[in-house]
């Protein structure tokens, strides 16, 4: 637990969903960001449309930490139903703000916190006529109160309101009025600002606030993907929404209104998988965003793409499984499934972005790798990365980039060669050449998921069959050096032990590691970014005596891959597992590492 | 693309098409189906239709699911790419393929098991999207490849080889297609190539989803007495409603218009489908009429065949999605890449 | 390679499918079996209906070995297309029998074998009129020739023919005539019998010849399953066919013609999975037979059953994957998929029968375990076990058996309890109680695949969610001692090394082990029969320095499970992998073990 | 089973049904849907129908898929088992459940997304099997739970919340059901409980698969101007064809037969559905007539509601499978176990 301080505290807003709170909360976060102070925002929302508890947590972190902290210093408790729980979560010395319009019969409180009441409902009922406004404006009213209490820059807030409603200018004044209501009430009744508050800095220059799904959608645009198929599923929907938005903006001919892309809302995930396979087979870069249940449903097709060697790019925005699970909560629970999805001997390429910046980059890499290796490639994101706004370096682009279309024979090349065989390892690199329909009569071949020999012919012969699947395994293995390399962050002093982690665990792990380091526990850290594992991964496990594997699932799935695919002995690996569905916080990792180090007697 | 692997052996005076190719240039690998299987006749009809339309083999694409019927894409057009996908899911692969390159001619081959059970959803949704392809459903009332279980198109009362009758109502692909708004709906019979070949040609030329339900008997598991999908039963009960023939764009087209019995339907490529009405007063452009003709035929135990419905006005998937004419897979990356400067601009909203 | 001898040789019949050869070949095998000599039969057929190569291999083995040997001493080469390949496969000193009706222009032969020609086609064309008879009777004609050459008991063969055509007595004479044609021709032209031939013994008493799918279908009948749903797929179809046949025979009221069971041919595998889940949830023992592609398609539902805790029995008759693969060839390639099928953290119970006898037993156990643990249970068979006739001990039944319905509350029990909570661990054994619809208002609960707490209520609370999935993991683990225990077969002398294998590998492994033992290489052997692994498995791996893991897939999937779920260090495990799709033969295992032992310098 | 957890609070003079239960005894958990959602009204109608039919709550079974609509099974009949399965696959779970115990009353609740896209195949095949259940399809033209994408039932030209029109032909569950031979096909409107409750009662009593397509507006994503599945649009265009009411078995039933406008359909339990014809000359027992009535209504932009088709003669799944009356899950093991001696006998053929 850590004390709240200037530019270093956590505010949590407890709301009911469907009441318009999300944009108000986003506005608060953006205001702090624009004041030059780094923020970490987590939106925890229910799996329905209206009426259930939702939370928005904003960590203000001058040092620019990227994970949750685990503390809550300031709660805006707008939801009576979760009030008790919200109250309990508040750190000692914290502040609770609530709507005191109606007296509460059994009002719970704690002696170690400060409670502030503002009659938001009454203020809004008095000020606004329309029923809908009265509900919506309560949110803006607490924004005003919070702004006063945290010393937020009102100009910044007003500017944000104007941008937010630029298309509905009538609403600007209404919202500004509501903000003023809350602001003025606070100034009048409370000591403003609180001891912890925000002071302007210049720590967010060159940064943007973006969510991973938007970044990945944008990445697909830059990758030159022209076809996307999907079936709506939380939390992957916004990825396709982003792709559609940017295509609409960038790829529609202004004169003719004609599109240079095609997006299809499929009838289900099986169909979405089939469509992107069809399009990729026919030479259009394609992708599908989905989540766990979608991967289960696509399993048969994934095996087909693997065996028939068709590029396939899948974004799995992971949510809490198994089954429908908690669709709006985060986990990293599809790692094992994606690594080996489908029946028979199958193995795939995985990319693990840790933030929206990497979602953008890896979206591009996924397309390159899928075409280079003619195989399914999974980008394993999650709700935390995908749907929360993260502060990251502004995305950049290298204008010299050219898509790697892999070993694709052109009409001219086909013209030259004697005879084309689809599955022949001509170059000894385990990757055969492919051709597109329509390019040349010589290029024709028959794609099938049934037994085929290296020439592409149907076979039921054991040796001919083996030859192809043996090459497939070798091809998969050769991708180890081509998937994104792990990021290794050595400890300041030489360390005998290490941490391995992945994806959205990164911020919390880095922070926990730094804090432990400050206390004298030195740990090297490797974040895995690709599968199959490269030599660096092997080296890291070889170089350390004990390795903590931090991940967000129950069954230690990443650790499982390490056991299966590297030479690491089991005794070296110590799982640290978080799977409640909330984004990981550094305190969890810190305590777990500390405890594990104690038990294992690591210096 | 004009280069071809020349046909190897050519008989003297063998008919050639506009491309100078002979019918055998449209063949594929040797069939591994049972001798006498209806599907082999359909294969021959498909090859002939491509030949007669003078489509360059390598500019065609063949897609299929899994089943004896679905295997047949290997048995014609050896110079065309084929994609023998997974069971029941060909429509989605076809949809993606068509989306990626609208400039080729697409033919899908499936079976009644593949299309009406495991694949029902995809089949219906491909029709709904009006994907520009011809879908040939080789309908034998059974699962051939898995040895003779009833399929969902088995007729009420039709007997299985071991004698048990089917007691569930059949799913008729033609009714289904009409009910979900398909734009080209026809039925043929593997045993009547004279009717089938023109239908296939018309279907290939239709801009949008064309369905031809072809009764195609399974000699190994469903050609016995009591089966309503046998050769004998089909010959006895089938009834031709409308004969359709595609005529390529040419100056003479207009001349045909006057002939009494002939009704012309203009195609997107400027060609014409000539409909020869065999059933009085029946207009296949009227969907409701097609439905009632079908209902009547069912009452009379007739298997209505021919072109039963056509709607050239409904936009196909490409038009619905406002796609430009150029195939997606031919758009150069330079046109797709917004560039670094643009990326910077786009991110202004993220500050 | 081993020499052919009396009652110890292999005959292989190469045919074209759809020509009626299968029943002729089965007749040959049955005749030898009835002569009291053990046989091993393998039918290798193509994935079509008519016209492709098919082989039937009969190993005559007085000692009662259960696997293939790898040799071929006698080939009946009826298929001109595979003639070259068949010829090459023959062991030196072997005999090739072919149809010499038409002269072959480029007749291939080998100096080290004996070639016998019989004009089967001509004999049959002369003797029979109907075109169909002429084709079919060729098979019976070679049966006659083979009978003469191998000294088979004609009375036994005649009796078999009479039984075979008991419902079509007209065909009996026709077939006997054809047999006589071949028999007489052989007697007249060749030295009969061959040096290797069959002599009557009494080694098959108490045995039956049965295939695994039939045995499993029968097992489901004895387990009291009343509901089965399936979608046809090779090679699982005959399992449901058998269940249907026995139900029809045993469970139809003679007076009313009404059924005590229900079998539904579903529209696909997803539906089949849903149906058996629905039926099991509602208290009817249910199951579905399928193969790899089916498991892929059922993945989402499998996770639902796991998380909602619904009994589910699946038979996966494995075939060569990935994708459509080689549907009529055998592999053990779905082990990993079945162990962890579905997205999210999921883990299942697996049973591994090694022969039809165990298919029968494990079919019953699967139903007991599924209800006891309220979870999916997979019986992992394969084509070799499922579709070949195996000689096994006659199946027996304990009339005192009662189904274990698990913790299912009756109306009376519900009447007594205060309040029922579906997912509460009342007894501390990790297994909650369940209720059936319609039994009692108190028993009602809401089944869902979405987040639920231990009471069965909807939740999005991380801790409440974790409590349930932690119990699920503990429950899964507790099944380790309840799944069938491994069969451990110690070497004659104390051995430092061992073999681990599974399922249909058993016969070949045992034989290879015995032969190596005879040569002084001592290896203990453990055949795994259940997952999660029991303590015995842990003990076995702990007790041995090096362990050879013999299995039939490319990716060492069983070895993978050992790595993931036991403490065995990787260095101990040496994979021996066979995945050409042909049933495993002992020579393969023998050579691989010998070679591995040499490399590893094991005494 | 006669024991009940007694209702807790009961108002004075509150109406009770034959079991002595009040309407509130048929309630469930509190709804978490949006205020004003059509689905909540349908929930209330379903609860009322069960109440009026005096079905013991715990003798009912509720099954559903995934979606806002599918959630509603939690909001009524708290004393009944519910099974909220996976997306689009409720029909199969229902089929298995019904097979296991035919003695309970089954109600399935689904949405247009759940039934017509991902679940289309299962939906159609459950109808084909004539599974004895009532299937309530809460049709709002959108995916509510995933925030407003068009579903496959969105009408041509219907506007999305952001203004884009749907350009693909809708899949109409009623036409689809008729085309695949469903035996009870009706349409209702969440806003008209007077029509809906009797329809639900009739559907629950129908022996076989009953489909009620209920227009049930989504206030959050599809209730704006231009949407053809809004309250306003539905009120304006809907048209009642046949009013159906179920009358339980009793001596008086025969008396009703004479009333001019009333047509009785006898049910398997001896009860009767009384059909009040609102459309002249329309007989819902005639499938072809229903189809053409539907086609006409479509032409006139009318939303035809009421009981549109009923066929009490077609055997349900149990009858098709010749199952005995006793539920499978009540057959004692002793009757299922052939015993050791029999096992020995059976193996004679294996020697
Ligand atoms: C997922 C999956 N399930 C089952 C099968 C087995 N299977 C192969 S073909 C087939 C049915 C084919 O029937 P149909 O489409 O009518 O083709 P036909 O052989 O009759 O021409 C089935 C069930 C499969 N290949 N894949
Ligand atoms: C396999 C799978 N894919 C996608 C989803 C996401 N999803 C949940 S509900 C839903 C659509 C629901 O639409 P509908 O059935 O019309 O219900 P409504 O919410 O409109 O009542 C979708 C796509 C899911 N739960 N499971
Ligand atoms: S089994 Fe039937 S469908 Fe298949 S090839 Fe033979 S005849 Fe044709
Ligand atoms: S989103 Fe629509 S369908 Fe879902 S609860 Fe709200 S109003 Fe109902
Ligand atoms: Mg078929
Ligand atoms: Mg909906």
């Amino acid at each position: 637990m850590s004390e709240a301080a200037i530019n270093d505290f956590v505010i949590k807003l407890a709301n009911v969903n469907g009441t318009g709170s999300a944009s108000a909360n986003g506005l608060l976060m953006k205001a702090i960001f624009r004041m030059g102070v780094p923020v970490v925002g987590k939106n925890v929302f229910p799996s329905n449309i209206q009426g259930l508890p939702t939370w928005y947590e904003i960590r203000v972190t001058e040092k620019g930490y990227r994970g949750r902290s685990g503390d809550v210093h300031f709660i805006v408790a707008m939801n009576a139903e979760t009030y008790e729980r919200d109250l309990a979560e508040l750190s000692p010395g914290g502040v609770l703000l609530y709507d005191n319009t109606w007296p509460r019969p059994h009002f719970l409180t704690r002696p170690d916190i400060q409670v502030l009441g503002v009659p938001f409902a009454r203020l809004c009922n008095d000020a606004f006529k329309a029923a809908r406004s009265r509900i919506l404006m309560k949110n803006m009213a607490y924004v005003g109160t919070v702004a006063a209490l945290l010393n937020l820059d009102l100009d910044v807030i007003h500017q944000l309101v104007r941008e937010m409603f630029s298309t509905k200018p009538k609403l600007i004044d209404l919202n500004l009025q509501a903000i003023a209501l809350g602001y003025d009430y606070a100034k009048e009744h409370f000591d403003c600002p609180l001891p912890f508050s925000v002071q302007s800095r210049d720590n967010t220059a060159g940064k943007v606030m973006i969510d991973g799904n938007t970044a990945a959608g944008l990445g697909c645009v830059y990758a030159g993907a022209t076809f996307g198929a999907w079936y709506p599923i939380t939390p992957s929907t916004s990825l396709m929404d982003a792709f559609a938005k940017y295509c609409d903006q960038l790829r529609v001919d202004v004169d003719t209104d004609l599109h240079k892309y095609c997006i299809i809302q499929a009838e289900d995930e099986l169909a979405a998988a089939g469509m992107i396979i069809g399009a990729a087979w026919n030479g259009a870069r394609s992708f599908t965003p989905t989540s766990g249940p979608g991967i289960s449903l696509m399993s048969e097709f994934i095996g087909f793409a693997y065996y028939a060697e068709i590029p396939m790019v899948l974004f799995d925005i992971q949510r809490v499984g198994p089954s429908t699970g908690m669709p709006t909560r985060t986990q990293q629970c599809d790692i094992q499934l994606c690594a080996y999805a489908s029946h028979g001997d199958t193995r795939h390429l995985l990319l693990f972005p840790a933030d929206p910046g990497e979602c953008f980059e890896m979206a591009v890499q996924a397309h390159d790798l899928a075409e280079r290796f003619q195989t399914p490639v999974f980008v394993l994101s999650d709700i935390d990365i995908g749907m929360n706004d993260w502060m990251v370096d502004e995305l950049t682009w290298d204008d010299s980039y050219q898509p790697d279309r892999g070993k694709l024979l052109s009409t001219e090349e086909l013209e030259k060669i004697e005879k084309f065989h689809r599955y022949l390892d001509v170059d000894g690199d385990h990757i055969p050449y492919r051709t597109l329909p329509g390019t040349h009569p010589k290029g024709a071949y028959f794609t099938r998921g049934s037994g085929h020999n290296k020439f592409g012919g149907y076979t039921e012969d054991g040796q001919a069959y083996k030859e192809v699947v043996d090459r497939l395994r070798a091809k998969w293995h050769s991708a180890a050096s081509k998937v994104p390399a792990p990021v290794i962050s050595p400890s300041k002093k030489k360390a005998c032990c290490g941490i391995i982690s992945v994806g959205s665990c990164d911020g919390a792990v880095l922070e926990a590691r730094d804090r432990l380091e400050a206390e004298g526990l030195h740990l090297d850290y490797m974040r895995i970014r690709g599968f199959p594992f490269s030599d660096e991964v092997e080296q890291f496990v070889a170089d350390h005596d004990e390795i903590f594997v931090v991940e967000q699932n129950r069954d230690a799935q990443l650790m499982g891959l390490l056991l299966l695919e590297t030479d690491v002995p089991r005794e070296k690996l110590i799982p640290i597992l978080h799977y409640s569905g909330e984004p990981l916080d550094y305190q969890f990792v810190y305590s777990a590492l500390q405890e594990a180090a104690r038990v294992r007697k690591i210096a | 693309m004009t280069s071809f692997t020349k046909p190897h052996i050519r008989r003297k005076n063998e008919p050639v098409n506009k491309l100078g190719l002979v019918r055998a240039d449209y063949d594929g690998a040797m069939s591994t189906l049972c001798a006498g299987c209806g599907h082999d006749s359909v294969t021959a009809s498909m090859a002939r239709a491509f030949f007669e339309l003078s489509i360059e083999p390598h500019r065609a694409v063949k897609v299929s699911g899994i089943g004896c019927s679905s295997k047949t894409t290997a048995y014609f057009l050896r110079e065309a790419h084929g994609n023998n996908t997974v069971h029941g899911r060909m429509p989605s692969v076809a949809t993606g393929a068509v989306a990626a390159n609208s400039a080729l001619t697409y033919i899908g081959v499936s079976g009644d098991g593949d299309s009406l059970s495991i694949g029902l959803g995809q089949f219906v949704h491909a029709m709904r999207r009006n994907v520009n392809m011809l879908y040939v459903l080789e309908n034998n009332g059974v699962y051939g490849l898995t040895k003779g279980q009833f399929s969902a198109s088995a007729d009420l009362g039709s007997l299985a080889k071991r004698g048990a009758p089917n007691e569930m109502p059949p799913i008729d692909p033609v009714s289904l297609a009409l009910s979900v708004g398909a734009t080209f709906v026809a039925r043929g019979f593997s045993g009547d190539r004279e009717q089938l070949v023109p239908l296939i040609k018309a279907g290939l030329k239709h801009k949008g989803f064309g369905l031809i339900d072809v009764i195609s008997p399974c000699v190994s598991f469903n050609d016995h007495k009591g089966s309503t999908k046998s050769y004998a039963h089909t010959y006895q009960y089938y009834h031709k409603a409308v004969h359709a023939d595609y005529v390529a764009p040419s100056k003479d087209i207009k001349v045909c218009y006057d002939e009494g019995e002939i009704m012309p339907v203009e195609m997107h490529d400027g060609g014409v489908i000539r409909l020869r009405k065999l059933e009085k007063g029946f207009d296949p452009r009227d969907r409701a009429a097609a439905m009632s003709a079908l209902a009547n035929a069912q009452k009379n135990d007739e298997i209505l065949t021919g072109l039963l419905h056509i709607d050239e006005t409904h936009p196909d998937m490409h038009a619905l999605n406002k796609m430009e004419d150029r195939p997606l897979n031919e758009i150069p990356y330079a046109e797709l890449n917004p560039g670094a400067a643009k990326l910077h601009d786009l991110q202004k909203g993220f500050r």
Side-chain angles (χ1 to χ4, degrees), chain A residues 272-507:
Chain A
M275 288 174 192
I276 63 162
I277 287 174
W281 176 77
N282 211 355
R285 285 198 155 186
S286 342
F287 67 97
T288 190
T290 187
S291 190
I295 304 291
S296 283
L297 288 170
M298 293 177 185
S299 289
E300 191 195 15
F301 257 135
I302 291 166
F304 173 70
Y306 169 79
Y307 186 42
E309 301 184 64
I310 301 174
M312 186 179 188
V313 174
L314 304 107
F315 293 86
D316 178 1
I317 317 301
Q318 296 168 95
R319 63 190 217 183
V320 171
S323 195
T324 302
M326 300 196 291
T328 59
R329 297 290 190 269
T330 196
Q331 264 186 2
Q332 300 173 312
C333 58
D334 300 333
I335 297 177
Q336 192 181 33
L337 171 63
C338 293
Y340 307 111
S342 207
H343 58 280
D345 290 303
T346 46
R347 31 189 65 231
H348 310 297
L349 272 50
L350 312 182
L351 309 184
F352 300 99
D355 65 24
E358 287 192 341
C359 287
F360 178 75
E361 287 161 23
M362 290 187 185
V364 180
Q365 288 163 340
H367 286 281
D368 283 344
L369 289 165
E371 291 206 294
R372 168 61 41 191
F373 291 98
Q374 304 174 20
T375 201
V377 176
F378 294 80
V379 182
L380 279 165
S381 173
D382 59 28
I383 294 189
D384 185 11
I385 302 174
M387 293 193 68
N388 286 317
D389 279 333
W390 290 54
M391 191 182 92
V392 294
D393 291 341
E394 186 182 316
L395 310 180
T396 56
W397 187 247
D398 174 1
D399 275 327
S400 71
Y401 167 82
Q402 280 298 325
D404 178 1
R405 304 297 311 254
K407 298 171 72 170
L408 182 61
L409 293 176
S410 67
T411 308
E412 296 67 37
E413 286 163 330
L414 278 165
E415 193 71 60
K416 272 181 236 146
I417 65 174
E418 168 100 38
K419 203 160 162 40
F420 163 70
H421 293 296
R422 173 65 178 96
Y423 296 113
L424 207 57
D425 183 4
V426 180
D427 303 328
D429 62 355
H430 321 300
I431 304 176
Y433 285 90
R434 70 182 182 117
T435 57
L436 298 184
T439 40
H440 197 287
K442 269 196 229 161
Y445 70 97
F446 197 77
T447 306
R448 45 164 75 82
S450 47
H452 47 264
N453 60 25
K454 63 184 167 194
F455 306 113
Y458 181 78
T459 194
E460 295 184 354
D461 178 84
Q463 295 316 312
Y465 165 83
K466 274 182 68 175
E467 219 175 338
V468 173
V469 296
D470 286 343
R471 179 180 56 71
L472 283 178
R473 190 172 163 114
K475 180 179 81 167
W476 173 82
H477 202 261
S478 75
S481 58
K482 298 295 187 299
V483 298
V487 175
I488 294 173
S489 142
S491 146
K492 287 190 188 124
K493 284 198 188 162
K494 195 172 155 43
C496 61
C497 298
I499 307 173
I500 292 182
S501 190
V502 73
S504 62
C505 300
D506 192 45

Side-chain angles (χ1 to χ4, degrees), chain A residues 15 32 65 79 138-139 182 188 239 254-255 257 285 307 327 330 358 393 403 433 447 462 470-471 481 547 575 594:
Chain A
N15 302 91
I32 300 168
Y65 286 125
N79 183 358
K138 275 203 293 183
N139 301 309
E188 198 175 315
L239 199 162
V254 263
D255 299 323
D257 199 28
R285 285 198 155 186
Y307 186 42
T330 196
E358 287 192 341
D393 291 341
Y433 285 90
T447 306
D470 286 343
R471 179 180 56 71
S481 58
I547 293 159
Q594 208 177 36

Side-chain angles (χ1 to χ4, degrees), chain A residues 77-130:
Chain A
M78 300 298 289
N79 183 358
E81 242 185 80
T82 61
Y83 178 82
E84 194 174 330
R85 169 178 166 179
D86 294 334
L87 179 74
E89 233 188 327
L90 198 57
S91 303
V95 176
L96 182 142
L97 172 67
Y98 81 111
D99 184 345
N100 65 1
T101 303
W102 302 278
R104 303 204 183 171
H106 306 290
F107 188 74
L108 279 176
T109 184
R110 278 166 45 183
D112 59 342
I113 62 157
Q114 186 186 353
V115 174
L116 305 176
V118 177
F120 293 114
R122 184 168 53 72
L123 293 175
C124 291
N125 285 353
D126 293 350
F128 306 105
K129 271 201 225 117

Side-chain angles (χ1 to χ4, degrees), chain B residues 204-227:
Chain B
L204 286 171
K205 285 298 176 177
H206 171 65
K207 184 135 186 157
F209 191 95
L211 168 68
I212 309 181
D213 175 41
V214 186
I215 312 294
S216 174
C218 168
V219 293
S220 287
F221 302 109
N222 205 16
D223 195 33
H224 46 274
K225 227 181 131 177
S227 156

